[in-house]
Amino acid sequence: MNTVFYTTLESPVGTLLLAGDSQALRMVSFQSSKHAEPPQADWKQDKAPFAEVIRQLRAYFRGERKEFDLPLAPEGTEFQLRVWNRLRTIPYGETISYAQLAERIGNPKAVRAVGLANGSNPIPIIIPCHRVIGSDGSLTGFGGGLPTKKMLLELESKQLSLL
């Protein structure tokens, strides 16, 4: 296993913990969340491996970046990886329902499983799980909290500038 590095980024949606190895980003964690992931004892603190991640996130928060171009290595089941890959195809500024996401992965009856996979996305914002909403248009669960989800969606709809 490669050495895991981590750093934090102060962002408009709170402190983000970034973790990954020399090859790819593996995690973004909202540190104000009750589900915040702390750095593991064997991880090494180093900002250098995250220079491009930080640059792209800052551009996103300024409304200047609509897509991320970063090497990602989320860890999950085959089903979760399929859901997370499909999330990356939801265009900036658009939302879909959990049911639509289930249809897009070819399993329309898997709405609950899709919701669980969406909720366990280890790289939020960059893998845009915030773009999935309830079928009635309501904002539903988000690891960073519903106010953060609302802020991200408003940023993407150009109703808000975060920086």
Side-chain angles (χ1 to χ4, degrees):
M1 178 89 179
N2 292 337
T3 300
V4 175
F5 299 100
Y6 76 96
T7 193
T8 57
L9 171 66
E10 295 304 321
S11 82
V13 294
T15 303
L16 301 174
L17 176 77
L18 310 174
D21 57 27
S22 60
Q23 304 298 312
L25 182 67
R26 295 184 173 277
M27 185 180 71
V28 173
S29 177
F30 293 97
Q31 293 302 279
S32 61
S33 166
K34 62 183 175 182
H35 304 292
E37 292 280 342
Q40 302 298 308
D42 60 338
W43 293 3
K44 295 190 175 177
Q45 188 167 10
D46 188 352
K47 196 172 201 124
F50 303 101
E52 184 61 15
V53 175
I54 291 168
R55 188 185 74 72
Q56 289 190 31
L57 279 167
R58 286 184 175 149
Y60 169 82
F61 288 127
R62 286 192 303 269
E64 298 169 1
R65 176 169 284 277
K66 296 182 179 182
E67 293 180 16
F68 292 93
D69 183 19
L70 298 165
L72 305 178
E75 294 179 16
T77 67
E78 183 180 322
F79 180 81
Q80 287 171 324
L81 292 170
R82 211 165 75 221
V83 170
W84 300 336
N85 283 332
R86 185 53 75 165
L87 288 172
R88 296 180 74 190
T89 68
I90 304 169
Y92 180 94
E94 293 184 21
T95 58
I96 66 170
S97 71
Y98 293 96
Q100 289 171 312
L101 184 54
E103 286 177 25
R104 289 182 185 187
I105 65 160
N107 197 341
K109 294 183 190 245
V111 177
R112 282 183 179 226
V114 161
L116 290 171
N118 196 59
S120 62
N121 171 17
I123 310 177
I125 302 173
I126 295 167
I127 298 177
C129 54
H130 60 278
R131 295 180 188 155
V132 183
I133 60 174
S135 56
D136 63 357
S138 64
L139 298 187
T140 56
F142 183 65
L146 292 182
T148 298
K149 183 172 187 165
K150 184 174 191 261
M151 284 175 62
L152 294 171
L153 293 174
E154 287 175 348
L155 168 70
E156 291 186 9
S157 67
K158 301 289 187 222
Q159 295 175 24
L160 179 69
S161 174
L162 297 181
L163 289 180

